[in-house]
Amino acid sequence: CLQDMAPFALAALPLYGLGRWLYIRRRKRSFQRLREIGLALLAVYGVGLASQTVITGFQASMDGGGINLIPGKVIADGIRLGLGAGNWHYLTLNVLGNLLILLPIGFALPLLWRVTPGRAALICLGISLAIELCQLFQPRWTDVDALILNVFGGWLGAYTSQLLLRRFPKCAAIFRAGD
């Protein structure tokens, strides 16, 4: 939930800004405003994402959670419960939420660096796998469908970003300056 992410993201912003300023100063790099805004948004989103998926009551047990290793099970349940039983909350949270959660990261990667949608999907796979492994020790579910939907969402974001960069090639020069 965005309102739950906000305090963590806002707390991270000054720390990120200071660290980035020191990095630019030490490396004697030029300051590219739009690139720095994009990098800051990506970092702040990453902290917010971690606050909702990784650092939400870290415990050394699996009480209250579980593991789903059957591909398609949660997706099919979400569609069946959402469309058939009218349980839109389950459909929205488990299917659409997992699809959209890494989409911003996937979108940002080609914008800020020369990353293809395939490579962005691999990066999102690593992020999603790390999240799911951390959730093994929390009272949450570790789910192969979340992994699938996260990666597809990251790829979709990267593909959309790549289409926009093809349509507006000057954006690549603005956001990738100094990469």
Side-chain angles (χ1 to χ4, degrees), residues 92-102 143 145-146 149-150:
T92 304
L93 184 66
N94 284 327
V95 178
L96 294 178
N98 279 315
L99 181 66
L100 298 176
I101 200 160
L102 291 184
D143 181 17
D145 285 348
L149 290 166
N150 292 168

Side-chain angles (χ1 to χ4, degrees), residues 30-112:
S30 62
F31 182 82
Q32 304 292 329
R33 184 175 312 172
L34 289 176
R35 178 172 175 74
E36 294 306 324
I37 289 170
L39 289 169
L41 288 173
L42 180 62
V44 166
Y45 183 78
V47 169
L49 177 65
S51 76
Q52 299 307 300
T53 57
V54 176
I55 47 179
T56 59
F58 207 70
Q59 299 175 10
S61 73
M62 291 182 5
D63 298 336
I67 301 173
N68 169 41
L69 298 176
I70 303 169
K73 180 183 182 318
V74 171
I75 297 170
D77 288 347
I79 292 170
R80 181 178 46 80
L81 289 171
L83 299 178
N87 187 346
W88 296 105
H89 178 73
Y90 187 85
L91 177 65
T92 304
L93 184 66
N94 284 327
V95 178
L96 294 178
N98 279 315
L99 181 66
L100 298 176
I101 200 160
L102 291 184
L103 191 136
I105 293 174
F107 184 84
L109 289 172
L111 190 63
L112 297 168

Side-chain angles (χ1 to χ4, degrees), residues 121-148:
L122 287 174
I123 292 167
C124 288
L125 173 65
I127 293 168
S128 183
L129 188 58
I131 290 168
E132 295 301 319
L133 289 173
C134 286
Q135 288 179 350
L136 282 171
F137 303 102
Q138 299 177 23
R140 300 183 61 153
W141 280 86
T142 297
D143 181 17
V144 70
D145 285 348
L147 193 70
I148 293 166

